[in-house]
Every structure is written in structure tokens, then in C-alpha cells.
């Protein structure tokens, strides 16, 4: 009987050792195999996020926006969005528009209440308004970077390896509200009592990437979006 118990114990230990040995040593302890594979789709994009100045030559179209949504009455919300759209010209300069929009949404429809556009250009690492300048804007976040390696320690709550029809890929992370990723936005936007935050990175096709950061309070939702369209995918993936 004792011999049988020892054999069972030894067999169990052997199975555990074999299972541990079979796990890919590259996969972190806080990731499943599929989560790790999903993150590998964004290796080049994570490098871009951490140091965007090294990639400006390869960006064809750039988009950045900050939206603030809050309830104004029962089942009706108001959203204020400041957005930047820049497109590279033949002289390698970025030219485009800044847009300030206020919209109102109910359960079945969305109505734009106010919308104003301002011509802009991106030169010498800064946004320049070529005509009038809006009172509300967030120029300091355009082409700004953050340390994407921080994402390695955060929990993945959703992922998509590859959509069978659209080839869409994505990874979503839960982020602590004291994270260095969201701290600059909380400070600059003067967000009071943030409750939770998250970030999703997405690849819509071979040339398009974007991320969305969400910061929630009891009464407001802040959404930070940045998207890029590439000139050369092979160069970006080096």
C-alpha cells in the first residue's frame, strides 16, 4: 500500500515537472500562451509608443483626440471632443486640422451641437495654429510617448489574436489609476476621483494601429485616442 502511494506521489510530481518544462520559457508567469501571442502582434507598435520621434518619417496620417462624456439628464449624455488630424505632405511636414466638437447622445441618436475647425501644422516638435487659436486644446499630448514596458506587469482582460474576416487584432489591459501611463492625463485634465482606467491597443490592418485609454469617474468618462497610418510596414517592423 505504501509503495502504491509512493508511486502515485512520484507520478504526480513527474507530471508537474514535465508540465513546467513544456511551458515556453519566453512566456511570463502573468500571461497565458495566447495572451503572450496577442502581445507579440504589437512589438513594433510598443516600441513606437515609447519613442515616437524615431518613427515620424514613417507616419502617413496621425490622429489624436480627447473626449469627455457626462450625463446631462436622464439617458442623455454630452460629449466634448478635441481632435487633431495630421497628414504628411511631400515636404515631410504634417498639416491638418484641429476640431472642437460638442455632441449630445440619447439611446437612439447623436446630435452635433457645435463644431469648429482650425487649420494646424506640426513643426519643430510642436503644434502650430496657422489662423485662430482655440481656448481649449491639448497640444502637449500630440506625438507624446509613454513607457510601454509598463504594460507587461498589468493584467490583460481581453484580447483578439486575429479576426477571421477583418484581420483585426487587439489587446486590452486594466491599468491602476496611479500608473505613469494615465497620470499625465489625470493631472492635465484635472480629473477628480478617478475610479478605474484601462488601455486597448488595436491593429486594424497592416498599416493602421491605434490605442484608446479610458479613465472613469462617478460622473464622467474620459477617452484618449491615438491612431497612425504607416507609410512602410516593413520599415516599421524592423
Amino acid at each position: 500500500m505504501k509503495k502504491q502511494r509512493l508511486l502515485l506521489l512520484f507520478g504526480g510530481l513527474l507530471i508537474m515537472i514535465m508540465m513546467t518544462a513544456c511551458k515556453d520559457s519566453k512566456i511570463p508567469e502573468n500571461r497565458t500562451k495566447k495572451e503572450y501571442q496577442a502581445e507579440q502582434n504589437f512589438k513594433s507598435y510598443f516600441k513606437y509608443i515609447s519613442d515616437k520621434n524615431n518613427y515620424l518619417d514613417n507616419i502617413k496620417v496621425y490622429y489624436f483626440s480627447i473626449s469627455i462624456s457626462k450625463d446631462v439628464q436622464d439617458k442623455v449624455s454630452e460629449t466634448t471632443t478635441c481632435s487633431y488630424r495630421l497628414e504628411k505632405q511631400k515636404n515631410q511636414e504634417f498639416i491638418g486640422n484641429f476640431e472642437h466638437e460638442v455632441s449630445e447622445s440619447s439611446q437612439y441618436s447623436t446630435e452635433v451641437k457645435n463644431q469648429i475647425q482650425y487649420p494646424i501644422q506640426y513643426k519643430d516638435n510642436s503644434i502650430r495654429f496657422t489662423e485662430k487659436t482655440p481656448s481649449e486644446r491639448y497640444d502637449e499630448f500630440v506625438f507624446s510617448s509613454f513607457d510601454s514596458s509598463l504594460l507587461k506587469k498589468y493584467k490583460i482582460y481581453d484580447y483578439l489574436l486575429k479576426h477571421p474576416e477583418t484581420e483585426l487584432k487587439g489587446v486590452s489591459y486594466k491599468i491602476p489609476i496611479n500608473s505613469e501611463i494615465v497620470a499625465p492625463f489625470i493631472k492635465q485634465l484635472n480629473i477628480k476621483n478617478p475610479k478605474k482606467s484601462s488601455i486597448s491597443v488595436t491593429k486594424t490592418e497592416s498599416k493602421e494601429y491605434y490605442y484608446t485609454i479610458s479613465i472613469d469617474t462617478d460622473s464622467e468618462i474620459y477617452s484618449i485616442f491615438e491612431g497612425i497610418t504607416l507609410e512602410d510596414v516593413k520599415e516599421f517592423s524592423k
Side-chain angles (χ1 to χ4, degrees):
M1 190 71 175
K2 288 184 178 180
K3 287 184 178 181
Q4 288 178 337
R5 288 180 179 176
L6 286 172
L7 286 171
L8 287 170
L9 179 62
F10 179 74
L13 288 171
L14 185 62
I15 290 172
M16 291 177 66
I17 292 170
M18 290 176 65
M19 288 177 65
T20 303
C22 287
K23 183 176 180 180
D24 193 332
S25 60
K26 293 181 181 180
I27 301 176
E29 290 297 322
N30 65 341
R31 296 286 185 262
T32 65
K33 184 177 181 180
K34 287 188 176 181
E35 288 174 345
Y36 176 76
Q37 290 174 339
E39 285 185 305
Q40 297 312 294
N41 290 325
F42 295 91
K43 286 177 66 176
S44 298
Y45 185 55
F46 288 148
K47 290 178 182 178
Y48 158 79
I49 287 175
S50 294
D51 189 4
K52 296 175 185 175
N53 287 330
N54 286 336
Y55 294 87
L56 295 186
D57 289 343
N58 196 11
I59 294 177
K60 182 178 181 181
V61 179
Y62 176 88
Y63 185 88
F64 178 83
S65 69
I66 292 180
S67 298
I68 306 171
S69 299
K70 58 183 179 180
D71 292 335
V72 290
Q73 53 183 297
D74 186 35
K75 295 184 180 180
V76 178
S77 63
E78 182 181 88
T79 301
T80 300
T81 301
C82 293
S83 61
Y84 301 76
R85 188 185 187 280
L86 294 161
E87 189 166 353
K88 185 182 290 181
Q89 308 300 305
K90 291 182 179 180
N91 60 2
Q92 297 299 301
E93 287 187 357
F94 286 96
I95 294 176
N97 287 295
F98 169 90
E99 184 175 276
H100 183 276
E101 179 184 285
V102 179
S103 61
E104 195 171 86
S105 299
S106 63
Q107 188 175 358
Y108 303 106
S109 64
T110 298
E111 180 183 357
V112 176
K113 295 290 187 179
N114 187 32
Q115 188 182 67
I116 307 174
Q117 288 190 345
Y118 304 81
I120 57 173
Q121 63 178 178
Y122 184 77
K123 191 174 182 180
D124 298 329
N125 297 322
S126 64
I127 289 290
R128 298 184 181 184
F129 289 83
T130 55
E131 295 178 10
K132 294 181 179 180
T133 302
S135 58
E136 183 181 4
R137 61 189 197 274
Y138 303 103
D139 302 356
E140 65 271 32
F141 294 124
V142 175
F143 286 117
S144 65
S145 300
F146 63 79
D147 184 3
S148 62
S149 67
L150 293 170
L151 296 174
K152 293 179 181 179
K153 62 182 181 181
Y154 298 146
K155 179 179 176 60
I156 292 176
Y157 70 87
D158 196 14
Y159 65 89
L160 180 62
L161 282 171
K162 185 178 180 180
H163 191 281
E165 296 177 2
T166 64
E167 298 191 0
L168 186 75
K169 301 174 183 178
V171 186
S172 299
Y173 304 82
K174 291 182 178 179
I175 305 178
I177 57 173
N178 61 350
S179 169
E180 293 177 24
I181 294 175
V182 296
F185 298 107
I186 291 174
K187 181 180 179 181
Q188 183 63 29
L189 298 173
N190 195 26
I191 301 175
K192 303 295 185 183
N193 300 317
K195 299 298 182 182
K196 62 179 181 179
S197 61
S198 63
I199 181 171
S200 297
V201 293
T202 306
K203 184 178 181 182
T204 58
E205 57 176 67
S206 61
K207 291 187 177 183
E208 293 183 356
Y209 292 83
Y210 64 84
Y211 72 72
T212 304
I213 295 174
S214 179
I215 305 171
D216 293 10
T217 70
D218 287 334
S219 59
E220 296 174 318
I221 298 175
Y222 296 78
S223 298
I224 298 99
F225 177 94
E226 186 194 74
I228 56 172
T229 302
L230 301 172
E231 294 269 13
D232 188 331
V233 176
K234 291 183 179 180
E235 183 68 24
F236 187 73
S237 300
K238 285 183 178 180

